Amino acid sequence: MLTDEWGGMGIESGELDIISFQTAAETLLLEGNGCSVIISREQEGKSIVDEILRQIDAVLTQEVDTGRVTIDLIRNDYDVQSLPVLDEDDILNIRNFSRTTFEGLAWEVKVQHPQLRANSDAISTAQDTSIVAMIGNRAKSVTVSSPFVSSKTLATTIAARERGPLSTPLFRVTLEVTRNATNLRPGSLFRLSFPDYGIVEIVFRIQSFDLGELAKGRIVVEALQDSFASGAVGVLPGGDSQFIPPITDPVSATIAQAFEVPRNLAAAFDPPLEYGDDNSAFLLVAAPD
């Protein structure tokens, strides 16, 4: 698809890091992660490649030193201590530092995929019921499409993989760093340490990478905490707060006025206040500040 001149994208094979593709293929074979698809109409090659990358959870990047296109699988196959560290010596500015709230977590991921022997799609699901127990009906259900997957086993594996980061509160950061980070690229991992934020070597994976302008000498990195290393979060406890809570003595509330709740206001309550047939009324009590 990448190299064929007639039906593909016509990229010269010498522009590809063939070893990285072979290594990825061996891993995917062991995982049983493959696809069989016929491209029966003209489409942009990039859209097809992006769909395959999404299925296998991988990134294509161009190596800085060789200029060749390489493929890297996003897997738990690294040693944390061997990862480079970005700290106050490399970071020029932290544009954003945030964490996923519990309300943003997904308890369920559904993968919609075709079936080999049927004219309809199937749904494979991965769930984490502890999320529902924790935050109730605010937990989300997410549905993704995998049009190149026909195996229910593979679809379930992808659903479980996608559910992992979606059901875990993760840090997100946007950094301006020096050109010491030029060897990093999308998909690369690094450890972030920044004492001002109480951060000690949290593992992040780069989502996007902007080399910026040559004269400015700074690189913009958007990264997400890597879910494989989310269990080892290095955030130092904060110091003692200097806040002194105001203490006031409670005072007895004096009823200022009590009156019947208007019917249009009663209907706006959740659940609405319903008047019966016995001429009953609801009272609204207003008290002073």
Side-chain angles (χ1 to χ4, degrees), residues 115-229:
Q115 303 179 85
L116 285 178
R117 296 174 179 84
N119 249 345
S120 59
D121 288 347
I123 298 290
S124 297
T125 306
Q127 299 175 336
D128 184 353
T129 54
S130 65
I131 300 295
V132 177
M134 183 167 52
I135 63 176
N137 58 10
R138 291 173 296 171
K140 299 186 301 182
S141 176
V142 177
T143 301
V144 297
S145 175
S146 289
F148 297 166
V149 174
S150 55
S151 163
K152 188 172 184 62
T153 300
L154 175 56
T156 303
T157 300
I158 293 174
R161 182 195 73 199
E162 295 296 313
R163 185 198 56 77
L166 291 175
S167 61
T168 306
L170 298 175
F171 290 105
R172 187 179 298 275
V173 67
T174 302
L175 304 172
E176 293 181 12
V177 297
T178 65
R179 294 200 178 276
N180 291 338
T182 50
N183 289 330
L184 299 177
R185 59 184 185 274
S188 292
L189 294 149
F190 66 90
R191 290 175 288 166
L192 175 65
S193 288
F194 207 81
D196 289 350
Y197 280 76
I199 299 169
V200 180
E201 297 192 359
I202 300 179
V203 178
F204 281 87
R205 192 180 294 268
I206 295 178
Q207 307 292 299
S208 65
F209 195 78
D210 183 0
L211 290 174
E213 300 176 22
L214 181 62
K216 290 189 175 181
R218 61 179 57 197
I219 297 169
V220 179
V221 172
E222 292 188 7
L224 180 68
Q225 182 186 2
D226 193 58
S227 58
F228 296 122

Side-chain angles (χ1 to χ4, degrees), residues 239-256:
D240 295 335
S241 173
Q242 302 301 312
F243 174 71
I244 301 176
I247 299 176
T248 57
D249 295 328
V251 296
S252 299
T254 302
I255 295 178

Side-chain angles (χ1 to χ4, degrees), residues 69-128:
V69 175
T70 183
I71 186 170
D72 291 306
L73 300 177
I74 308 300
R75 298 294 186 272
N76 186 14
D77 56 359
Y78 57 87
D79 176 15
V80 172
Q81 297 305 314
S82 66
L83 301 178
V85 177
L86 294 183
D87 54 23
E88 62 271 22
D89 293 333
D90 308 293
I91 299 171
L92 302 173
N93 182 33
I94 297 182
R95 292 187 182 179
N96 173 65
F97 187 82
S98 59
R99 193 178 194 184
T100 310
T101 63
F102 283 101
E103 284 75 10
L105 299 182
W107 79 282
E108 176 183 64
V109 173
K110 299 178 181 178
V111 173
Q112 182 178 357
H113 60 95
Q115 303 179 85
L116 285 178
R117 296 174 179 84
N119 249 345
S120 59
D121 288 347
I123 298 290
S124 297
T125 306
Q127 299 175 336
D128 184 353

Side-chain angles (χ1 to χ4, degrees), residues 8-28:
M9 300 173 68
I11 299 175
E12 294 288 341
S13 59
E15 297 178 10
L16 303 179
D17 183 350
I18 300 300
I19 299 299
S20 71
F21 281 85
Q22 292 173 337
T23 301
E26 291 169 358
T27 300
L28 294 169

